[in-house]
Amino acid sequence: MGRRLTPRGEQRRGELLAYATERFATNGYHPTSVAELVDGLGVGKGVFYWYFESKEDLFLEILRSGERDLRRVQLDAMGDETDPVARMELAIRASMEWWATHRELYVLIEFARTEASFASGVRKGERVALEDTRRLVQEAMDSGAIADGNATVVAQAVLGVSSVLARTQVLGRGRPPSEVADEVIDFCWHGLLGRDAGQTRRTA
Amino acid sequence: MGRRLTPRGEQRRGELLAYATERFATNGYHPTSVAELVDGLGVGKGVFYWYFESKEDLFLEILRSGERDLRRVQLDAMGDETDPVARMELAIRASMEWWATHRELYVLIEFARTEASFASGVRKGERVALEDTRRLVQEAMDSGAIADGNATVVAQAVLGVSSVLARTQVLGRGRPPSEVADEVIDFCWHGLLGRDAGQTRRTA
DNA sequence: GGTGAACTTGACCGTCTGGTCAAGTACCGT
DNA sequence: ACGGTACTTGACCAGACGGTCAAGTTCACC
């Protein structure tokens, strides 16, 4: 929607975005009707269609702005650090903090991946995140800082650990993001066997 | 639905389950109507409600039977192996093979997590999987086979790496499950730093 | 105080939804 | 051949959905 908005308009639009995000996240996208959104805000239905072309358009807007914001936060966090391993660590910590303050987005992205009309958009965003990470992993492998291997797979594993622990520990149990970030980093860096243990190995 | 079914009935029910699984996975749960399901099978609408109480009931049935089957396959794979680390490895390999032959279930479970009416059921199943894994991790920690730490968090990290690589590598890129299982295990056991590399450490 | 653009209202529309049900058919044991 | 249960049909329903729009209101600016 290429509409010009006055400050008052911006505010309304923001209200709609915020309320819709919350409703979609707790009630689901499809079960939440446009009528429910405008009723919840105590406004007429026309308000919705003044600011958004459609329900789908609104949802895509929520997704896009969320992804954009997370990426910005990650890049900011990495700043001018040059060591790839340190950059990954900074990005992981920043992401964990971000998820803690944007809990609704997690479930929305997860949902978006499950429906044809949204999946391609999400995948595009994820390809960007993966490529960012893959580059760092490759760089670290080349310099011998980490073990050689398939950089894409390793990058995906790191992202997987981050997102699972963000979901279950930070969002699910409300644990402090920094603490969980420590655990993500410890697991990703050293694996199960850890720095020290790992003598009594298995048979299989 | 506690109905008694003849072999013919079982067959029909199976057709409905299979077709619905495919449609839900590719088109989404809500956008797929009951009418679309029965039309696709070329039967009357009454057939659907003869075998299932509701659309929701059908979906829950798909979820439940999937989770049950995966767990059975995992337990079978672990057989009578007693070493906890070896058991985890066997379960990971079996899961990866299972996902390769049940690709539709992945997206359905992911969707189910995003909607209030299904989320609790999924979480129950995930608690079971987590507890199975946590026990093995704890046992391995106690015996000194792996490094000490928060067993729940570590278990979740292992499950996270497995499921992310199942999704992206096995389902997304069609890579052989056994090969991806190797990578999951390598990453989870040794982390980024690996068996060998890891001298040139970071500054942060 | 008048003009026009930004914003808001809510009745209204066509379509589709999940679900029902009276009626009919296939098939089994006897 | 008959009786009964398993199964099938498809017209039908009430309600909800996303979306439209003519009419009205607010307000910044001249």
Side-chain angles (χ1 to χ4, degrees):
Chain A
M1 217 105 185
R3 232 186 259 285
R4 278 230 204 298
L5 298 181
T6 63
R8 175 187 164 198
E10 288 294 357
Q11 156 123 12
R12 246 307 183 257
R13 199 180 123 96
E15 282 172 24
L16 280 164
L17 279 169
Y19 190 63
T21 302
E22 191 269 324
R23 295 310 300 148
F24 287 161
T26 62
N27 194 39
Y29 171 76
H30 288 291
T32 303
S33 65
V34 174
E36 187 189 328
L37 295 178
V38 294
D39 287 355
L41 255 44
V43 299
K45 208 172 195 180
V47 168
F48 185 95
Y49 290 95
W50 178 260
Y51 295 101
F52 303 98
E53 269 173 17
S54 64
K55 191 184 170 188
E56 185 173 328
D57 176 50
L58 160 67
F59 186 72
L60 287 171
E61 180 65 34
I62 293 171
L63 279 188
R64 268 196 299 262
S65 75
E67 284 173 347
R68 211 182 312 135
D69 191 54
L70 172 56
R71 181 141 198 265
R72 205 207 64 227
V73 165
Q74 288 170 338
L75 293 174
D76 277 9
M78 292 190 288
D80 51 7
E81 170 65 56
T82 56
D83 180 67
V85 178
R87 282 175 74 82
M88 286 176 63
E89 191 171 327
L90 290 168
I92 289 171
R93 292 188 187 284
S95 305
M96 218 53 81
E97 301 285 349
W98 190 86
W99 285 119
T101 52
H102 298 75
R103 31 179 53 251
E104 316 87 4
L105 259 291
Y106 199 102
V107 67
L108 295 189
I109 291 175
E110 215 163 21
F111 161 76
R113 222 179 0 228
T114 71
E115 213 167 284
S117 40
F118 301 127
S120 66
V122 175
R123 272 199 270 275
K124 210 180 80 191
E126 280 172 349
R127 263 204 305 278
V128 172
L130 177 60
E131 179 54 20
D132 284 352
T133 312
R134 194 202 58 78
R135 248 198 318 268
L136 293 175
V137 169
Q138 188 64 61
E139 204 184 320
M141 282 178 177
D142 291 347
S143 76
I146 68 175
D148 269 342
N150 182 328
T152 302
V153 168
V154 169
Q156 225 134 27
V158 172
L159 291 175
V161 172
S162 303
S163 79
V164 163
L165 293 188
R167 185 184 88 221
T168 60
Q169 300 296 313
V170 177
L171 305 183
R173 306 200 170 192
R175 292 187 49 211
S178 65
E179 208 175 296
V180 178
D182 286 342
E183 292 166 344
V184 169
I185 289 160
D186 189 56
F187 184 87
C188 289
W189 271 224
H190 307 101
L192 289 179
L193 302 179
R195 254 176 271 256
D196 32 288
Q199 311 80 330
T200 329
R201 286 309 309 288
R202 70 204 180 283
T203 46
Chain B
M1 215 110 184
R3 232 185 258 286
R4 278 231 203 298
L5 297 181
T6 63
R8 176 186 162 199
E10 287 295 356
Q11 156 122 12
R12 244 309 180 258
R13 199 180 123 97
E15 284 172 21
L16 279 164
L17 280 169
Y19 189 64
T21 302
E22 192 269 323
R23 295 310 299 148
F24 287 162
T26 61
N27 196 39
Y29 171 76
H30 288 291
T32 303
S33 65
V34 175
E36 187 189 327
L37 295 178
V38 294
D39 287 354
L41 256 46
V43 299
K45 207 171 196 179
V47 168
F48 185 95
Y49 290 96
W50 179 260
Y51 295 102
F52 303 98
E53 270 174 16
S54 63
K55 189 185 170 186
E56 184 172 332
D57 177 49
L58 161 67
F59 187 72
L60 287 171
E61 179 65 33
I62 293 172
L63 278 188
R64 269 195 299 261
S65 74
E67 283 173 347
R68 212 182 310 134
D69 191 55
L70 172 56
R71 181 142 199 263
R72 205 207 64 226
V73 164
Q74 288 169 337
L75 292 175
D76 277 9
M78 292 191 288
D80 51 7
E81 169 66 55
T82 56
D83 178 69
V85 178
R87 283 175 72 82
M88 286 177 62
E89 192 170 325
L90 290 167
I92 289 170
R93 291 188 188 284
S95 305
M96 218 52 81
E97 301 285 349
W98 189 88
W99 285 119
T101 54
H102 299 75
R103 31 179 54 250
E104 314 86 5
L105 259 291
Y106 199 102
V107 65
L108 295 189
I109 291 175
E110 215 163 22
F111 161 75
R113 219 176 6 224
T114 71
E115 212 167 285
S117 40
F118 301 126
S120 66
V122 175
R123 273 200 267 274
K124 212 179 79 191
E126 281 173 348
R127 265 204 303 277
V128 173
L130 177 61
E131 179 54 21
D132 284 352
T133 312
R134 193 202 60 78
R135 248 199 316 270
L136 293 174
V137 168
Q138 188 64 62
E139 205 183 318
M141 281 177 177
D142 291 346
S143 75
I146 68 175
D148 269 342
N150 184 327
T152 301
V153 169
V154 169
Q156 226 134 27
V158 172
L159 292 174
V161 172
S162 303
S163 79
V164 164
L165 293 188
R167 185 184 88 219
T168 59
Q169 301 294 314
V170 177
L171 305 184
R173 306 199 171 194
R175 292 187 49 211
S178 64
E179 207 175 296
V180 177
D182 286 342
E183 293 166 344
V184 169
I185 289 160
D186 188 55
F187 184 86
C188 289
W189 270 226
H190 307 101
L192 289 179
L193 302 180
R195 254 177 270 259
D196 32 288
Q199 309 84 327
T200 330
R201 282 313 305 291
R202 68 202 181 287
T203 46

